[in-house]
Amino acid sequence: MERWSFLTNHARVLVCIAHDPGVRLRDIAERVGITERSAYGIVTDLTEAGYVVKEKDGRRNRYQVQVHQPLRDPTARETSIGEVLDLLVGTTSKTTGRRHTRKR
């Protein structure tokens, strides 16, 4: 039986970055269960779509999740990435230093 997940690899990579903005591609790949090349492609997708900003920090990259960005799904455009990350991992945003609250 093939394994499946409720979250796409893109979402899982985003969660890794939210947990550790200095995470290496090698570590993302290991945690998500994909190749480094796939991790690189997903991080590139996320940066090109404006969900993540990548900055050089010496020889490594640091990432910043753009929590204000809406989801790509047309049925959930009123929900931000930050709100989804809070639901999934319950972490304080690394980009703003404050906890996001859901709109009611």
Side-chain angles (χ1 to χ4, degrees):
M1 184 174 195
E2 205 173 307
R3 287 184 50 210
W4 63 276
S5 173
F6 283 106
L7 301 176
T8 66
N9 285 343
H10 281 68
R12 295 171 70 206
V13 167
L14 192 62
V15 167
C16 286
I17 291 170
H19 272 279
D20 179 5
V23 67
R24 297 177 304 176
L25 287 174
R26 174 181 325 161
D27 297 326
I28 291 172
E30 184 178 315
R31 291 175 192 165
V32 175
I34 57 177
T35 65
E36 280 187 59
R37 184 178 183 136
S38 293
Y40 175 81
I42 291 171
V43 169
T44 299
D45 288 347
L46 293 171
T47 56
E48 287 177 356
Y51 290 110
V52 173
V53 173
K54 181 170 59 171
E55 299 170 350
K56 266 305 210 193
D57 185 15
R59 293 180 52 195
R60 299 199 37 195
N61 290 320
R62 286 201 62 77
Y63 303 99
Q64 188 174 48
V65 176
Q66 301 301 294
V67 296
H68 63 280
Q69 291 284 39
L71 293 176
R72 289 175 56 112
D73 187 338
T75 61
R77 302 260 327 144
E78 293 179 14
T79 305
S80 73
I81 291 298
E83 291 170 318
V84 171
L85 287 171
D86 276 344
L87 287 173
L88 292 175
V89 295
T91 61
T92 300
S93 169
K94 305 274 193 243
T95 59
T96 63
R98 64 182 168 83
R99 186 146 174 98
H100 295 278
T101 56
R102 295 186 67 178
K103 296 176 190 169
R104 302 229 187 254

